[in-house]
PDB file of all heavy atoms in Angstrom:
ATOM      1  N   LEU A 437     -88.138  81.423 226.461  1.00 94.00           N
ATOM      2  CA  LEU A 437     -88.302  80.379 225.460  1.00 94.00           C
ATOM      3  C   LEU A 437     -88.451  79.032 226.155  1.00 94.00           C
ATOM      4  O   LEU A 437     -87.492  78.535 226.764  1.00 94.00           O
ATOM      5  CB  LEU A 437     -87.104  80.330 224.513  1.00 94.00           C
ATOM      6  CG  LEU A 437     -86.840  81.555 223.639  1.00 94.00           C
ATOM      7  CD1 LEU A 437     -85.588  81.351 222.814  1.00 94.00           C
ATOM      8  CD2 LEU A 437     -88.030  81.850 222.735  1.00 94.00           C
ATOM      9  N   VAL A 438     -89.627  78.465 226.116  1.00 93.00           N
ATOM     10  CA  VAL A 438     -89.884  77.170 226.750  1.00 93.00           C
ATOM     11  C   VAL A 438     -90.005  76.127 225.640  1.00 93.00           C
ATOM     12  O   VAL A 438     -90.961  76.141 224.854  1.00 93.00           O
ATOM     13  CB  VAL A 438     -91.178  77.208 227.588  1.00 93.00           C
ATOM     14  CG1 VAL A 438     -91.411  75.859 228.260  1.00 93.00           C
ATOM     15  CG2 VAL A 438     -91.104  78.315 228.625  1.00 93.00           C
ATOM     16  N   LYS A 439     -89.027  75.254 225.559  1.00 90.00           N
ATOM     17  CA  LYS A 439     -88.966  74.309 224.445  1.00 90.00           C
ATOM     18  C   LYS A 439     -90.248  73.477 224.374  1.00 90.00           C
ATOM     19  O   LYS A 439     -90.702  72.911 225.358  1.00 90.00           O
ATOM     20  CB  LYS A 439     -87.747  73.398 224.606  1.00 90.00           C
ATOM     21  CG  LYS A 439     -87.539  72.472 223.421  1.00 90.00           C
ATOM     22  CD  LYS A 439     -86.175  71.795 223.466  1.00 90.00           C
ATOM     23  CE  LYS A 439     -85.070  72.726 222.996  1.00 90.00           C
ATOM     24  NZ  LYS A 439     -83.798  72.016 222.792  1.00 90.00           N
ATOM     25  N   GLY A 440     -90.825  73.439 223.178  1.00 89.00           N
ATOM     26  CA  GLY A 440     -92.063  72.708 222.963  1.00 89.00           C
ATOM     27  C   GLY A 440     -93.310  73.529 223.215  1.00 89.00           C
ATOM     28  O   GLY A 440     -94.414  73.098 222.881  1.00 89.00           O
ATOM     29  N   TYR A 441     -93.132  74.723 223.813  1.00 93.00           N
ATOM     30  CA  TYR A 441     -94.300  75.542 224.165  1.00 93.00           C
ATOM     31  C   TYR A 441     -94.087  77.012 223.802  1.00 93.00           C
ATOM     32  O   TYR A 441     -94.725  77.895 224.372  1.00 93.00           O
ATOM     33  CB  TYR A 441     -94.610  75.399 225.658  1.00 93.00           C
ATOM     34  CG  TYR A 441     -94.964  73.988 226.059  1.00 93.00           C
ATOM     35  CD1 TYR A 441     -93.971  73.109 226.500  1.00 93.00           C
ATOM     36  CD2 TYR A 441     -96.262  73.520 225.930  1.00 93.00           C
ATOM     37  CE1 TYR A 441     -94.286  71.800 226.835  1.00 93.00           C
ATOM     38  CE2 TYR A 441     -96.580  72.217 226.265  1.00 93.00           C
ATOM     39  CZ  TYR A 441     -95.597  71.360 226.720  1.00 93.00           C
ATOM     40  OH  TYR A 441     -95.905  70.053 227.036  1.00 93.00           O
ATOM     41  N   VAL A 442     -93.190  77.280 222.849  1.00 95.00           N
ATOM     42  CA  VAL A 442     -92.956  78.662 222.424  1.00 95.00           C
ATOM     43  C   VAL A 442     -94.185  79.159 221.668  1.00 95.00           C
ATOM     44  O   VAL A 442     -94.744  78.460 220.825  1.00 95.00           O
ATOM     45  CB  VAL A 442     -91.704  78.748 221.532  1.00 95.00           C
ATOM     46  CG1 VAL A 442     -91.526  80.173 221.011  1.00 95.00           C
ATOM     47  CG2 VAL A 442     -90.469  78.297 222.295  1.00 95.00           C
ATOM     48  N   GLY A 443     -94.600  80.394 221.984  1.00 95.00           N
ATOM     49  CA  GLY A 443     -95.757  80.971 221.309  1.00 95.00           C
ATOM     50  C   GLY A 443     -95.485  82.386 220.840  1.00 95.00           C
ATOM     51  O   GLY A 443     -94.562  83.055 221.320  1.00 95.00           O
ATOM     52  N   PRO A 444     -96.308  82.883 219.909  1.00 96.00           N
ATOM     53  CA  PRO A 444     -96.074  84.227 219.360  1.00 96.00           C
ATOM     54  C   PRO A 444     -96.222  85.345 220.380  1.00 96.00           C
ATOM     55  O   PRO A 444     -95.569  86.383 220.254  1.00 96.00           O
ATOM     56  CB  PRO A 444     -97.110  84.348 218.243  1.00 96.00           C
ATOM     57  CG  PRO A 444     -97.993  83.178 218.326  1.00 96.00           C
ATOM     58  CD  PRO A 444     -97.377  82.165 219.210  1.00 96.00           C
ATOM     59  N   ARG A 445     -97.066  85.161 221.387  1.00 94.00           N
ATOM     60  CA  ARG A 445     -97.233  86.244 222.371  1.00 94.00           C
ATOM     61  C   ARG A 445     -95.957  86.444 223.180  1.00 94.00           C
ATOM     62  O   ARG A 445     -95.562  87.573 223.473  1.00 94.00           O
ATOM     63  CB  ARG A 445     -98.427  85.959 223.282  1.00 94.00           C
ATOM     64  CG  ARG A 445     -99.759  86.067 222.565  1.00 94.00           C
ATOM     65  CD  ARG A 445    -100.930  86.277 223.486  1.00 94.00           C
ATOM     66  NE  ARG A 445    -101.198  85.143 224.361  1.00 94.00           N
ATOM     67  CZ  ARG A 445    -102.336  84.986 225.040  1.00 94.00           C
ATOM     68  NH1 ARG A 445    -103.307  85.889 224.944  1.00 94.00           N
ATOM     69  NH2 ARG A 445    -102.522  83.937 225.807  1.00 94.00           N
ATOM     70  N   GLY A 446     -95.297  85.341 223.534  1.00 94.00           N
ATOM     71  CA  GLY A 446     -94.050  85.453 224.278  1.00 94.00           C
ATOM     72  C   GLY A 446     -92.947  86.075 223.448  1.00 94.00           C
ATOM     73  O   GLY A 446     -92.145  86.864 223.953  1.00 94.00           O
ATOM     74  N   LEU A 447     -92.906  85.737 222.163  1.00 96.00           N
ATOM     75  CA  LEU A 447     -91.896  86.317 221.289  1.00 96.00           C
ATOM     76  C   LEU A 447     -92.116  87.822 221.143  1.00 96.00           C
ATOM     77  O   LEU A 447     -91.170  88.610 221.219  1.00 96.00           O
ATOM     78  CB  LEU A 447     -91.932  85.639 219.921  1.00 96.00           C
ATOM     79  CG  LEU A 447     -91.625  84.137 219.887  1.00 96.00           C
ATOM     80  CD1 LEU A 447     -91.671  83.614 218.452  1.00 96.00           C
ATOM     81  CD2 LEU A 447     -90.263  83.834 220.509  1.00 96.00           C
ATOM     82  N   ALA A 448     -93.373  88.220 220.940  1.00 95.00           N
ATOM     83  CA  ALA A 448     -93.682  89.646 220.785  1.00 95.00           C
ATOM     84  C   ALA A 448     -93.356  90.423 222.050  1.00 95.00           C
ATOM     85  O   ALA A 448     -92.807  91.535 221.995  1.00 95.00           O
ATOM     86  CB  ALA A 448     -95.152  89.824 220.421  1.00 95.00           C
ATOM     87  N   ALA A 449     -93.658  89.847 223.198  1.00 95.00           N
ATOM     88  CA  ALA A 449     -93.412  90.539 224.467  1.00 95.00           C
ATOM     89  C   ALA A 449     -91.932  90.744 224.740  1.00 95.00           C
ATOM     90  O   ALA A 449     -91.548  91.649 225.486  1.00 95.00           O
ATOM     91  CB  ALA A 449     -94.047  89.751 225.616  1.00 95.00           C
ATOM     92  N   ASN A 450     -91.101  89.898 224.129  1.00 95.00           N
ATOM     93  CA  ASN A 450     -89.653  89.991 224.368  1.00 95.00           C
ATOM     94  C   ASN A 450     -88.895  90.529 223.154  1.00 95.00           C
ATOM     95  O   ASN A 450     -87.671  90.409 223.084  1.00 95.00           O
ATOM     96  CB  ASN A 450     -89.117  88.619 224.767  1.00 95.00           C
ATOM     97  CG  ASN A 450     -89.560  88.207 226.150  1.00 95.00           C
ATOM     98  OD1 ASN A 450     -88.937  88.582 227.143  1.00 95.00           O
ATOM     99  ND2 ASN A 450     -90.645  87.438 226.228  1.00 95.00           N
ATOM    100  N   GLY A 451     -89.608  91.126 222.217  1.00 94.00           N
ATOM    101  CA  GLY A 451     -88.961  91.797 221.097  1.00 94.00           C
ATOM    102  C   GLY A 451     -88.292  90.881 220.097  1.00 94.00           C
ATOM    103  O   GLY A 451     -87.373  91.305 219.386  1.00 94.00           O
ATOM    104  N   VAL A 452     -88.742  89.620 220.016  1.00 95.00           N
ATOM    105  CA  VAL A 452     -88.165  88.684 219.044  1.00 95.00           C
ATOM    106  C   VAL A 452     -88.959  88.771 217.743  1.00 95.00           C
ATOM    107  O   VAL A 452     -90.188  88.649 217.741  1.00 95.00           O
ATOM    108  CB  VAL A 452     -88.182  87.240 219.578  1.00 95.00           C
ATOM    109  CG1 VAL A 452     -87.646  86.268 218.525  1.00 95.00           C
ATOM    110  CG2 VAL A 452     -87.355  87.140 220.848  1.00 95.00           C
ATOM    111  N   ARG A 453     -88.267  88.979 216.650  1.00 96.00           N
ATOM    112  CA  ARG A 453     -88.923  89.118 215.358  1.00 96.00           C
ATOM    113  C   ARG A 453     -89.547  87.793 214.927  1.00 96.00           C
ATOM    114  O   ARG A 453     -88.963  86.725 215.124  1.00 96.00           O
ATOM    115  CB  ARG A 453     -87.900  89.594 214.317  1.00 96.00           C
ATOM    116  CG  ARG A 453     -88.501  90.135 213.040  1.00 96.00           C
ATOM    117  CD  ARG A 453     -87.508  91.070 212.346  1.00 96.00           C
ATOM    118  NE  ARG A 453     -86.299  90.379 211.938  1.00 96.00           N
ATOM    119  CZ  ARG A 453     -86.089  89.911 210.694  1.00 96.00           C
ATOM    120  NH1 ARG A 453     -87.022  90.067 209.772  1.00 96.00           N
ATOM    121  NH2 ARG A 453     -84.954  89.322 210.394  1.00 96.00           N
ATOM    122  N   MET A 454     -90.756  87.874 214.336  1.00 96.00           N
ATOM    123  CA  MET A 454     -91.488  86.692 213.893  1.00 96.00           C
ATOM    124  C   MET A 454     -91.786  86.802 212.397  1.00 96.00           C
ATOM    125  O   MET A 454     -92.315  87.815 211.939  1.00 96.00           O
ATOM    126  CB  MET A 454     -92.814  86.553 214.634  1.00 96.00           C
ATOM    127  CG  MET A 454     -92.699  86.242 216.101  1.00 96.00           C
ATOM    128  SD  MET A 454     -94.352  86.146 216.854  1.00 96.00           S
ATOM    129  CE  MET A 454     -94.810  87.885 216.909  1.00 96.00           C
ATOM    130  N   LEU A 455     -91.452  85.752 211.646  1.00 97.00           N
ATOM    131  CA  LEU A 455     -91.793  85.666 210.234  1.00 97.00           C
ATOM    132  C   LEU A 455     -92.730  84.475 210.055  1.00 97.00           C
ATOM    133  O   LEU A 455     -92.447  83.373 210.532  1.00 97.00           O
ATOM    134  CB  LEU A 455     -90.537  85.493 209.384  1.00 97.00           C
ATOM    135  CG  LEU A 455     -89.511  86.635 209.476  1.00 97.00           C
ATOM    136  CD1 LEU A 455     -88.296  86.330 208.607  1.00 97.00           C
ATOM    137  CD2 LEU A 455     -90.128  87.971 209.074  1.00 97.00           C
ATOM    138  N   ALA A 456     -93.849  84.700 209.374  1.00 96.00           N
ATOM    139  CA  ALA A 456     -94.896  83.693 209.305  1.00 96.00           C
ATOM    140  C   ALA A 456     -95.102  83.152 207.903  1.00 96.00           C
ATOM    141  O   ALA A 456     -94.827  83.822 206.896  1.00 96.00           O
ATOM    142  CB  ALA A 456     -96.212  84.277 209.829  1.00 96.00           C
ATOM    143  N   ASP A 457     -95.624  81.940 207.841  1.00 96.00           N
ATOM    144  CA  ASP A 457     -96.056  81.329 206.592  1.00 96.00           C
ATOM    145  C   ASP A 457     -97.196  82.162 206.004  1.00 96.00           C
ATOM    146  O   ASP A 457     -98.003  82.744 206.752  1.00 96.00           O
ATOM    147  CB  ASP A 457     -96.532  79.903 206.892  1.00 96.00           C
ATOM    148  CG  ASP A 457     -96.993  79.161 205.663  1.00 96.00           C
ATOM    149  OD1 ASP A 457     -96.150  78.533 205.011  1.00 96.00           O
ATOM    150  OD2 ASP A 457     -98.208  79.223 205.360  1.00 96.00           O
ATOM    151  N   PRO A 458     -97.312  82.251 204.664  1.00 95.00           N
ATOM    152  CA  PRO A 458     -98.377  83.061 204.052  1.00 95.00           C
ATOM    153  C   PRO A 458     -99.791  82.649 204.429  1.00 95.00           C
ATOM    154  O   PRO A 458    -100.740  83.423 204.245  1.00 95.00           O
ATOM    155  CB  PRO A 458     -98.138  82.867 202.548  1.00 95.00           C
ATOM    156  CG  PRO A 458     -96.675  82.569 202.439  1.00 95.00           C
ATOM    157  CD  PRO A 458     -96.356  81.756 203.651  1.00 95.00           C
ATOM    158  N   ARG A 459     -99.955  81.429 204.965  1.00 95.00           N
ATOM    159  CA  ARG A 459    -101.292  80.996 205.378  1.00 95.00           C
ATOM    160  C   ARG A 459    -101.713  81.603 206.713  1.00 95.00           C
ATOM    161  O   ARG A 459    -102.892  81.540 207.081  1.00 95.00           O
ATOM    162  CB  ARG A 459    -101.331  79.459 205.459  1.00 95.00           C
ATOM    163  CG  ARG A 459    -101.361  78.765 204.110  1.00 95.00           C
ATOM    164  CD  ARG A 459    -101.061  77.277 204.232  1.00 95.00           C
ATOM    165  NE  ARG A 459     -99.624  77.066 204.296  1.00 95.00           N
ATOM    166  CZ  ARG A 459     -98.924  76.347 203.425  1.00 95.00           C
ATOM    167  NH1 ARG A 459     -99.541  75.772 202.402  1.00 95.00           N
ATOM    168  NH2 ARG A 459     -97.622  76.198 203.548  1.00 95.00           N
ATOM    169  N   VAL A 460    -100.751  82.181 207.440  1.00 96.00           N
ATOM    170  CA  VAL A 460    -101.036  82.740 208.764  1.00 96.00           C
ATOM    171  C   VAL A 460    -101.451  84.202 208.584  1.00 96.00           C
ATOM    172  O   VAL A 460    -100.672  85.127 208.814  1.00 96.00           O
ATOM    173  CB  VAL A 460     -99.802  82.601 209.684  1.00 96.00           C
ATOM    174  CG1 VAL A 460    -100.128  83.066 211.104  1.00 96.00           C
ATOM    175  CG2 VAL A 460     -99.320  81.154 209.711  1.00 96.00           C
TER     176      VAL A 460
END
């Protein structure tokens, strides 16, 4: 987790669950 530069690919690679806005 790099503050200011967190991205979905890094979260997915490390098994962190992601919930998105309906526009995504």
Side-chain angles (χ1 to χ4, degrees):
L437 297 178
V438 181
K439 185 168 281 191
Y441 298 92
V442 176
R445 290 200 294 195
L447 298 181
N450 289 276
V452 177
R453 196 157 63 97
M454 292 179 286
L455 299 179
D457 181 88
R459 286 166 278 240
V460 185

